[in-house]
Amino acid sequence: MRQTISSVADVKQMIESGRKLLLAGDEDALRHLPKGDWIAGTIPYFISADKGGMVSRDMICATDITDIVASIDIVAYDDNSLARLYAEGPKHGFSFIIIPAASKTHMSFALNAPNYKDFGVRPLIGWVAGVHLSDLGKKTPKVVNGQTGDMLEEGALVLQAQLPEGKVAEIGIVNLFEQGDGDILTFNADGFAAKDVMVNGEKRNFAAYIVKNKLDTKLPLVADYYGAMVNISFQDVDEVEGQVKFYAPVFSGIRYKHARPVADYVKVFNDRLSKECSIESSRVAFSCNCILNYLYSELEGKKTEPFTGPVTFGEIAYELLNQTLVYLEIMDV
């Protein structure tokens, strides 16, 4: 297993023996780690191979990439320099990014990534760091540069991994949601919040529309990007202010629909894997799942084989995603 849920002592041992690691854990646990070749983000929610979904402030999710990479570099970006992210990615390898939730860099990446130079040309995968849900508003999500010891609540950390000859990185997305049969929804501006929505071309207040039509906000809006389904998850519906907030931005000119309901997450997930994915667990180098899937589908104690890893405040597969599972495969050319 490349992804394990390990004690601080075991992760210390990995670092001190020179392993190259992608880490996820509670802030207090990460502060106990020595310097080395690793990057980390804060989150205490994981999917483990043996226990399934779990919460732990003491354990750390460790993804060991030592044996699959030729070399690594760790680069820090801010909301301005992040525009160079794709262009500076390794020509033969992949980039792995962690961004703190609700930071300026998170907002900038979410809104602007598709317009950055060389967007999508080289593999980029990663996630958005968060906190225990009981710490919302009390603690800030952070990322950690293991080589320097820097713990940042603003900016992004990217591990640029060169692969050996004969190996190639592939990024996959498992999205259980698809467009429902309801109204076509469009927006006049890009952003993480909206007051107005065009419903089949007719202007309406979005919060009032959601309440009147009893839309289940556990189900995201879904856009069809040339055959790829992209979710926009709801954060808050304020009927008094007439405003709706999202966990990822909506974009003007994109046609959205409310998602079709998913009755049994684990069953549908397994069905989707068996139908669409010929995935060998030995090829999966990293995966992460969304905190909203974890909560709404009650994944605590449930396994999502062959996928383990952190449960995140957002997934990144080339761009910011919501309510998905993303994974990295290392394959022979």
Side-chain angles (χ1 to χ4, degrees), residues 176-250:
L176 302 192
F177 298 99
E178 54 190 32
Q179 291 187 327
D181 300 324
D183 297 321
I184 296 170
L185 307 173
T186 55
F187 299 89
N188 293 324
D190 303 347
F192 280 82
K195 285 195 170 184
D196 296 323
V197 64
M198 303 298 288
V199 180
N200 302 322
E202 180 185 337
K203 187 176 179 181
R204 305 272 291 277
N205 176 267
F206 196 24
Y209 169 85
I210 288 169
V211 172
K212 181 182 177 184
N213 290 277
K214 298 187 171 92
L215 295 193
D216 182 355
T217 54
K218 290 182 178 179
L219 300 172
L221 298 178
V222 182
D224 185 343
Y225 287 6
Y226 309 105
M229 298 296 159
V230 175
N231 305 331
I232 307 296
S233 302
F234 291 97
Q235 182 174 5
D236 181 59
V237 178
D238 189 332
E239 200 179 358
V240 176
E241 293 291 326
Q243 180 167 268
V244 178
K245 292 180 181 176
F246 310 104
Y247 284 109
V250 292

Side-chain angles (χ1 to χ4, degrees), residues 37-198:
D37 285 336
W38 57 273
I39 65 170
T42 55
I43 202 74
Y45 300 94
F46 318 110
I47 305 285
S48 70
D50 52 348
K51 295 180 182 175
M54 61 179 288
V55 188
S56 174
R57 292 180 182 268
D58 305 317
M59 306 295 278
I60 293 173
C61 178
T63 305
D64 189 341
I65 58 170
T66 313
D67 298 333
I68 61 173
V69 301
S71 64
I72 65 161
D73 290 298
I74 297 173
V75 183
Y77 292 93
D78 61 23
D79 55 315
N80 293 314
S81 61
L82 199 61
R84 305 197 303 264
L85 168 70
Y86 300 97
E88 292 180 352
K91 289 183 170 56
H92 182 71
F94 63 91
S95 293
F96 185 90
I97 184 170
I98 314 178
I99 309 176
S103 62
K104 285 189 295 184
T105 311
H106 177 209
M107 301 301 172
S108 182
F109 178 79
L111 285 166
N112 302 313
N115 300 315
Y116 290 159
K117 185 184 177 189
D118 292 344
F119 170 75
V121 170
R122 301 184 186 104
L124 174 75
I125 191 167
W127 55 282
V128 177
V131 295
H132 193 285
L133 295 175
S134 66
D135 291 334
L136 284 171
K138 302 172 195 170
K139 284 186 175 180
T140 54
K142 297 176 180 69
V143 294
V144 191
N145 183 336
Q147 291 182 340
T148 63
D150 292 337
M151 184 172 275
L152 311 171
E153 58 184 55
E154 185 53 69
L157 288 177
V158 177
L159 183 147
Q160 299 169 340
Q162 296 281 353
L163 287 173
E165 289 300 317
K167 297 290 184 181
V168 65
E170 295 281 349
I171 290 171
I173 302 167
V174 179
N175 183 0
L176 302 192
F177 298 99
E178 54 190 32
Q179 291 187 327
D181 300 324
D183 297 321
I184 296 170
L185 307 173
T186 55
F187 299 89
N188 293 324
D190 303 347
F192 280 82
K195 285 195 170 184
D196 296 323
V197 64
M198 303 298 288

